[in-house]
Amino acid sequence: MPYREVTIPADDARAEALSDALMELDALSVSVEDREAGTEAEQALFGEPGLPAPRSAWQHSLVHALFSTEAQADAALLALLGTGLLNDLAGVQQTDVPEQDWVRLTQSQFQPVCIEGRLWIVPSWHSAPENAPLVIQLDPGLAFGTGTHPTTQLCLGWLVQQSPWNGRDLLDYGCGSGILAIAAGLLKARSVSAVDIDPDAVRASQANAQANGVELTHCCHVDMLPEQRFDVVLANILAAPLKLLAPMLSVRVKPAGRLVLSGILDRQAEELIQVYAPYANLHVHAEQDGWVCLAGTTYARP
């Protein structure tokens, strides 16, 4: 028997209340997404130390709730109308969701990924190819970074192309799962530090690095990183925080060191290059599926 999904458009003032109410009305799961995702009006929710507090919700959202039956979904909508959380059913949609083996479906979406013919990202339910030079074993988790997203692949490609890494120190800012830091460790960077604003990401990076035999010099919240400059600073986050973080990220790079930025759409590249122009000479290193990786050298400072 199929599940029933209810989709409700909501503004930022109502999305959280609707989500809470739907869970109390026996929804199996509730998720919220940006109604403007994939358009020029898409909003990024982010938070970084020293920057303005992030918005708590998108201005225009879609609230998705999954129910066991159509009757339960109808009852939930009637209850929402009764409480006033839902004024009417305009824009509300219901669809059937076929019952599936969700574990198998999720696993099928994550296949081994090869970077530059040298580095393989392999989930635990697959085996690495024979004679693979370098292998990162990594499963999807709470933190971003499985090797499948173009921004991650662009950064991994840059790392592989720069090897050997002997004698260089690297900082992965916004480490997520730790995949980029782990790759740098496997490529024999002298030291690798990984920081994030999300405690789950820090824990995931620590666990994943240990599982892959990589020792991280520092793996902590961004506020806990000791004052230090690095030969390479790599940040795969989003264009908006990258713009605001330009002075801080740049000062973390040694004079004439390398700065690598990703999480940037191709239409945002020129603006980011100009924002970082006082600190570094950046250029588009590579592009993939509408995303770019910027790389360049910081200016030598007296």
Side-chain angles (χ1 to χ4, degrees):
M1 179 179 294
Y3 295 103
R4 191 72 167 176
E5 183 181 61
V6 175
T7 301
I8 305 172
D11 58 25
D12 55 357
R14 194 170 297 191
E16 184 175 357
L18 276 171
S19 299
D20 292 342
L22 286 162
M23 290 302 296
E24 293 178 2
L25 292 167
D26 297 325
L28 299 173
S29 67
V30 176
S31 62
V32 183
E33 67 176 350
D34 185 2
R35 201 188 321 173
E36 314 292 350
T39 73
E40 292 286 340
E42 181 176 0
Q43 290 181 293
L45 303 183
F46 61 89
E48 297 288 348
L51 301 184
R55 293 179 58 89
S56 59
W58 294 287
Q59 187 174 359
H60 303 290
S61 300
L62 290 175
V63 181
H64 301 279
L66 191 66
F67 292 90
S68 296
T69 66
E70 182 178 356
Q72 288 181 333
D74 290 339
L77 289 174
L78 285 174
L80 291 175
L81 288 168
T83 62
L85 278 174
L86 199 59
N87 296 325
D88 53 49
L89 296 179
V92 176
Q93 297 181 348
Q94 289 197 47
T95 55
D96 285 334
V97 178
E99 189 170 0
Q100 301 186 57
D101 184 339
W102 296 106
V103 172
R104 188 180 298 274
L105 178 63
T106 299
Q107 290 182 347
S108 71
Q109 296 172 350
F110 294 94
Q111 301 292 324
V113 175
C114 184
I115 305 297
E116 298 290 323
R118 287 190 59 201
L119 176 66
W120 284 84
I121 317 299
V122 183
S124 61
W125 50 87
H126 285 282
S127 297
E130 288 188 23
N131 303 318
L134 296 170
V135 176
I136 297 177
Q137 188 126 46
L138 193 71
D139 289 344
L142 292 176
F144 174 81
T146 61
T148 59
H149 195 276
T151 60
T152 308
Q153 293 186 13
L154 289 168
C155 293
L156 289 169
W158 186 89
L159 287 169
V160 173
Q161 291 169 20
Q162 307 307 308
S163 60
W165 275 81
N166 306 62
R168 286 188 283 178
D169 306 313
L170 177 137
L171 170 64
D172 179 6
Y173 186 98
C175 54
S177 68
I179 186 172
L180 302 178
I182 294 167
L186 293 178
L187 290 164
K188 305 301 182 185
R190 178 171 60 187
S191 74
V192 181
S193 295
V195 298
D196 207 291
I197 62 171
D198 183 355
D200 285 331
V202 173
R203 286 190 287 269
S205 295
Q206 290 170 332
N208 289 331
Q210 184 176 10
N212 284 277
V214 170
E215 181 178 353
L216 300 178
T217 306
H218 300 101
C219 187
C220 56
H221 188 277
V222 292
D223 290 337
M224 302 299 292
L225 182 67
E227 289 297 327
Q228 178 183 346
R229 287 182 176 178
F230 298 84
D231 299 294
V232 177
V233 170
L234 192 155
N236 179 24
I237 42 179
L238 291 169
L242 284 174
K243 286 190 288 185
L244 295 170
L245 291 168
M248 186 277 291
L249 288 176
S250 300
V251 80
R252 282 291 188 171
V253 190
K254 292 178 181 179
R258 305 300 299 276
L259 183 61
V260 184
L261 309 176
S262 196
I264 304 163
L265 295 169
D266 52 9
R267 59 181 167 80
Q268 300 168 326
E270 187 55 38
E271 182 181 6
L272 263 294
I273 289 172
Q274 293 305 315
V275 168
Y276 279 81
Y279 315 103
N281 181 22
L282 296 182
H283 63 276
V284 175
H285 169 74
E287 305 179 42
Q288 184 177 333
D289 297 337
W291 297 90
V292 301
C293 173
L294 301 182
T297 304
T298 56
Y299 301 127
R301 296 180 293 273

